[in-house]
Amino acid sequence: MVCAVLAIAGAVWIAHLDSVVTREFQGRHWSVPARVYAASLELYVGAQVSATDLEEELRRLHYRPGDPASGPGVYRRRGNSFDLHTRRVRFIDEQREPQLVSIGADSNSITGLKQGDGADLPVFRLDPPVIGSVFPIHGEDRLVLSPADVPPLLRTGIKLIEDRRFDEHPGVDVLGMLRALWADLRARRVVQGGSTLTQQLVKNYFLSDEQSFRRKVTEALMALRLEAHFSKEEILVAYLNEVYLGQDGSRAIHGFGLGSQYYFAKPLDELDVGELAMLIGLVKGPSYYDPRRHPDRARTRRNLVLQEFADAHLADADAAKRAAAAPLGLRPPGGGSYVPAYLDLVRRHLKRDYADADLAAAGLSVYTSLDLRAQAAAEHALTANLKRLDAMSHARGDPIEGAVIVAEPNSGDVVAVVGGRDLGSDGFNRALDARRPIGSLVKPAVYLTAIETGRYNAATIIQDVPVELKLSDGSVWAPQNFERDVNGPVPMARALAESLNLATVHLGLDLGLPKVVDTLKHLGLATTPPLNPSLLLGTVEMTPLEVVEVYTSLANGGFRARLRAVRAVLDEHGKPLKTFKVQVEEVAPAAAVYQLDRMLTLVTTHGTGRAAAARLPRGIVIAGKTGTSSDTRDSWFAGFTGSYLAVAWVGYDDNRVTGLTGAVGALPVWADTMARLKSASFEPVPPELVEDRWIGYMDGLETTPACGGNAVLIAVPKGTVLPAKSGCSSAATAASPTPTVGEKIKTWFKNIAH
């Protein structure tokens, strides 16, 4: 009776294991997460890419110096000329086979493009870099291999080193287990493992690392059932995708596809025999043979695998000997392109149109707007400045944090996202989720509202004097300027440039809070903030991404380009499923925005943002605004050139006081980011009914540069009568000439090109 019960229980248990194996393995082993690509660098004669820039980009794409005739992924530089053998790559609109290309460059730009046969190339795109998966398996990034992706040497080599009887046993190798047990008993420690590749796959897929007799029995039974239902080929490829090969900080490196990129920065099919031997050798003990921590162990293990290859005639003996004498050839640490903060934005955009299951398993290809050069610039600027601020503050507790977003305002393309100082972390994404008071970043909306009424312009005098308001709860609100000074009558251009709180509050109250909120919402703010007078000084809370949404309209002449992280999605066969077009809509009068933008350039020449000039190329024109929240808890800067719009935030996660204004904390991050990017000056085309005029910065009186008095250039509607400075009645004739139609078209094309 007992035996019968045990037999029934055993049968039920085996049936359960069989069900788990078939259901889970069938659903997972060919699950290919959507693979995400960054934008390609487009080259053409005249493109602002120097020879140094080009070589840096090739190295970022993991092209290696050598003889291009040796195969794809290799380039040769001779002076400022480059010959390269491209890889087989898929673009949104075509698949390009490997080819030879010659590129000429100088210290500033591309000078020539030719195919291998000498024919001219009008345009050439470098490879779109792979940056990860939208939905990583088990929360870990993967580059999943298909059977066609597995090199023959890997297929036979892994069986030779890890499971010589793989093609013969039914999932469990009894002889191998006995042999390993005898070796362990003789050594009085574990020196061999008796698990087959199938058993190792079962353990990784279904079981924990618990060491017990019950787990080993379960592992063996599941291995038998796995081999009963699936082919050796399916099991082998699944194992190659699942096996653990090391650790990159908090990111586990699973599978030979990702292992090849992590250790050698190359696709798996470009590995030489020595590199492949090192990866196979890692399987035995990724931590023990970690080539970065224990290079001597890794080299010894690699050479042992190479000798096994030679003995089994899988590799030529001389080739194996040369590989054993070569260095490990690891890529520099930290040289990858894993960008979790940007992938987070991509994931959110895609979830509007695709189910999680499709993104996790359907093998889609996702082409994004990410520019790895802009990403590297933003990452370097943020981390370097946060270290500097740490040294300044000597604060206890968690270190100061920050975020940066860079976009192209003409298209709405988001080209870089940095969510915090821990660049490789999949944790809290401050760029998308840190909702904080924006301080004076709100003021451009107040001044734009004023200009739109037609009653105000940049020269209009407003009062920077104390104000007290009794609120609905009986309290009195009495704002102050940051310097706690009072300036009296000031021109509106100066009030915005110097971020004068009292003048802004008087202006906003005259306009009415509802009108200011309407302007914010037209510019892109999705929520309606409470109608409290303090919103005029930035108590409204926004994320850096939302600030980019609002400022895109200002950088784009009153036209809002919807932010875009994803350009296209292709199916597993490379056919387009969906393209995401540029979407632009007019949200504010171009004439009013042009006048405001002229005022925002004064912020960076005469006002709170003037420190940016010392960090940027000489002569570049920028427009922007500093922001500092109450009690200096949040530091902001939002600004734009003719090519890029960027927003930087600095603060503590727990909302502690930083003591940093926008000019001291966030502005250096913004400026250092922009300094590393090739960017055109901000030179918007004046609308037909607007003209540039000179006024005195301090008094708002019309003047000329020759009259002195700190003359600044503003924009006003044509025909506006301005009070003139005594002796400067010819001021109107000193205005900048209106560009011709040809000049306007040239400027428009230049903006679009960036």
Side-chain angles (χ1 to χ4, degrees):
M1 181 66 178
V2 173
C3 292
V5 171
L6 291 175
I8 293 172
V12 170
W13 183 39
I14 292 173
H16 168 70
L17 295 179
D18 187 84
S19 173
V20 169
V21 164
T22 53
R23 182 180 67 250
E24 297 294 330
F25 189 79
Q26 184 66 49
R28 267 181 56 186
H29 76 293
W30 290 130
S31 294
V32 181
R35 190 169 294 184
V36 187
Y37 295 85
S40 305
L41 177 61
E42 195 166 87
L43 304 178
Y44 50 90
V45 174
Q48 296 298 295
V49 179
S50 69
T52 301
D53 295 334
L54 179 56
E55 184 161 33
E56 182 180 331
E57 188 67 15
L58 289 172
R59 290 184 179 275
R60 183 178 287 116
L61 291 170
H62 309 311
Y63 278 74
R64 56 199 182 278
D67 182 1
S70 64
V74 180
Y75 77 94
R76 177 172 54 213
R77 179 175 181 177
R78 293 176 294 189
N80 287 337
S81 296
F82 296 80
D83 298 314
L84 65 145
H85 196 153
T86 67
R87 300 184 177 108
R88 182 175 186 264
V89 294
R90 163 70 67 180
F91 296 98
I92 295 173
D93 54 351
E94 67 168 340
Q95 180 167 292
R96 187 179 69 202
E97 298 301 322
Q99 61 178 303
L100 294 172
V101 175
S102 295
I103 305 173
D106 57 25
S107 59
N108 295 307
S109 62
I110 299 298
T111 59
L113 291 170
K114 292 184 180 297
Q115 296 177 351
D117 59 5
D120 288 337
L121 274 172
V123 178
F124 177 73
R125 291 179 290 184
L126 292 177
D127 308 4
V130 178
I131 59 172
S133 303
V134 177
F135 280 99
I137 301 173
H138 299 312
E140 296 162 348
D141 192 30
R142 304 291 174 95
L143 292 178
V144 177
L145 305 173
S146 69
D149 297 325
V150 180
L153 182 57
L154 174 58
R155 191 183 302 271
T156 54
I158 193 70
K159 291 187 285 187
L160 172 71
I161 302 302
E162 290 295 317
D163 188 356
R164 296 192 179 204
R165 286 169 42 81
F166 176 76
D167 292 323
E168 303 168 11
H169 62 65
V172 176
D173 186 356
V174 177
L175 291 177
M177 295 172 66
L178 292 174
R179 185 168 56 249
L181 177 61
W182 175 245
D184 294 346
L185 290 173
R186 290 182 61 187
R188 297 186 179 181
R189 61 187 178 90
V190 177
V191 294
Q192 289 188 18
S195 295
T196 63
L197 292 183
T198 312
Q199 287 176 270
Q200 293 177 47
L201 179 63
V202 164
K203 184 181 73 171
N204 291 337
Y205 256 41
F206 308 112
L207 304 174
S208 69
D209 290 330
E210 172 197 359
Q211 295 295 327
S212 68
F213 178 74
R214 183 179 185 277
R215 191 196 66 78
K216 290 298 292 183
V217 172
T218 302
E219 175 188 292
L221 289 173
M222 294 181 85
L224 291 169
R225 301 315 303 154
L226 189 63
E227 295 234 8
H229 290 289
F230 300 97
S231 71
K232 290 284 188 180
E233 172 74 358
E234 291 175 300
I235 292 169
L236 178 63
V237 176
Y239 174 83
L240 295 175
N241 282 323
E242 185 71 26
V243 64
Y244 174 65
L245 293 176
Q247 198 74 24
D248 177 19
S250 60
R251 180 173 67 139
I253 306 300
H254 281 275
F256 278 82
L258 189 58
S260 177
Q261 294 285 353
Y262 174 64
Y263 288 109
F264 300 111
K266 290 194 279 188
L268 190 61
D269 60 4
E270 290 183 18
L271 297 188
D272 61 33
V273 64
E275 292 163 339
L276 199 54
M278 197 208 81
L279 285 185
I280 292 174
L282 277 176
V283 173
K284 183 177 181 181
S287 298
Y288 186 81
Y289 295 109
D290 185 331
R292 293 196 173 94
R293 296 176 56 198
H294 309 293
D296 291 338
R297 293 179 189 171
R299 189 176 296 106
T300 299
R301 176 67 178 162
R302 177 200 65 180
N303 293 351
L304 177 63
V305 174
L306 284 169
Q307 187 60 53
E308 294 271 9
F309 282 180
D311 293 344
H313 305 292
L314 296 181
D316 177 77
D318 290 338
K321 185 177 294 186
R322 288 193 300 271
L328 292 175
L330 303 173
R331 73 158 172 81
S337 55
Y338 184 58
V339 282
Y342 196 94
L343 286 171
D344 189 11
L345 178 62
V346 170
R347 188 177 302 119
R348 297 184 195 198
H349 280 201
L350 288 175
K351 289 181 75 170
R352 303 170 189 168
D353 300 285
Y354 295 94
D356 288 1
D358 292 332
L359 295 173
L364 306 179
S365 294
V366 179
Y367 291 82
T368 74
S369 302
L370 174 65
D371 181 339
L372 288 177
R373 294 169 299 160
Q375 182 71 26
E379 289 177 353
H380 182 273
L382 182 65
T383 54
N385 279 285
L386 292 185
K387 288 178 181 177
R388 175 181 59 83
L389 295 173
D390 284 342
M392 287 172 51
S393 66
H394 304 292
R396 297 180 179 180
D398 292 335
I400 198 164
E401 274 292 354
V404 185
I405 299 183
V406 185
E408 294 179 350
N410 292 301
S411 63
D413 283 335
V414 179
V415 298
V417 178
V418 187
R421 65 193 301 155
D422 188 357
L423 303 178
S425 171
D426 288 292
F428 183 55
N429 190 342
R430 295 161 190 84
L432 309 187
D433 296 322
R435 187 173 298 279
R436 307 295 283 265
I438 64 172
S440 294
L441 292 191
V442 78
K443 288 177 181 174
V446 179
Y447 287 78
L448 179 61
T449 305
I451 293 170
E452 286 189 58
T453 66
R455 296 187 290 116
Y456 292 91
N457 60 61
T460 302
I461 299 299
I462 55 179
Q463 298 299 317
D464 189 62
V465 295
V467 60
E468 291 187 355
L469 290 177
K470 189 172 184 178
L471 304 180
S472 58
D473 61 1
S475 62
V476 175
W477 184 59
Q480 294 180 317
N481 286 331
F482 185 79
E483 300 290 346
R484 299 184 181 276
D485 57 351
V486 174
N487 298 278
V490 295
M492 204 162 74
R494 179 189 169 195
L496 179 58
E498 297 182 9
S499 203
L500 301 179
N501 289 342
L502 297 178
T504 302
V505 169
H506 279 287
L507 179 63
L509 293 176
D510 179 59
L511 299 168
L513 298 180
K515 286 188 176 181
V516 174
V517 170
D518 284 346
T519 298
L520 279 169
K521 296 190 73 174
H522 286 148
L523 292 177
L525 181 63
T527 58
T528 303
L531 292 178
N532 297 324
S534 58
L535 80 82
L536 298 171
L537 302 182
T539 55
V540 56
E541 295 184 347
M542 297 171 66
T543 66
L545 184 66
E546 289 172 331
V547 174
V548 172
E549 289 263 14
V550 169
Y551 270 72
T552 297
S553 305
L554 305 182
N556 211 24
F559 289 86
R560 179 187 174 198
R562 300 277 179 172
L563 295 186
R564 181 177 69 158
V566 179
R567 293 180 175 179
V569 178
L570 276 58
D571 68 15
E572 60 184 320
H573 305 295
K575 295 180 180 179
L577 290 177
K578 184 166 186 176
T579 56
F580 296 82
K581 305 292 186 182
V582 174
Q583 299 181 55
V584 179
E585 60 178 325
E586 186 175 11
V587 295
V593 173
Y594 180 81
Q595 294 174 66
L596 174 70
D597 286 346
R598 279 291 193 191
M599 295 165 65
L600 290 176
T601 64
L602 297 180
V603 173
T604 61
T605 58
H606 290 69
T608 56
R610 58 187 178 275
R615 296 173 178 265
L616 294 168
R618 182 184 295 272
I620 187 171
V621 179
I622 59 174
K625 187 69 190 76
T626 54
T628 310
S629 68
S630 179
D631 298 325
T632 62
R633 298 179 188 276
D634 300 278
S635 173
W636 293 87
F637 191 83
F640 42 92
T641 64
S643 308
Y644 298 103
L645 159 69
V647 172
W649 167 83
V650 171
Y652 287 109
D653 286 340
D654 60 5
N655 203 31
R656 279 180 288 152
V657 171
T658 66
L660 302 172
T661 63
V664 175
L667 185 147
V669 176
W670 182 93
D672 287 352
T673 298
M674 287 296 188
R676 285 174 166 259
L677 299 174
K678 291 186 182 296
S679 184
S681 284
F682 180 63
E683 298 174 354
V685 178
E688 293 294 336
L689 300 179
V690 176
E691 62 183 356
D692 293 343
R693 305 272 280 274
W694 292 93
I695 65 169
Y697 177 71
M698 300 300 291
D699 57 21
L701 298 177
E702 188 166 20
T703 184
T704 69
C707 283
N710 200 3
V712 295
L713 197 62
I714 64 165
V716 295
K718 284 185 177 179
T720 299
V721 177
L722 300 178
K725 183 177 180 180
S726 177
C728 293
S729 58
S730 61
T733 64
S736 296
T738 301
T740 65
V741 173
E743 289 171 331
K744 292 181 180 181
I745 294 173
K746 182 179 178 181
T747 301
W748 184 82
F749 270 113
K750 182 166 63 175
N751 289 339
I752 291 297
H754 291 280

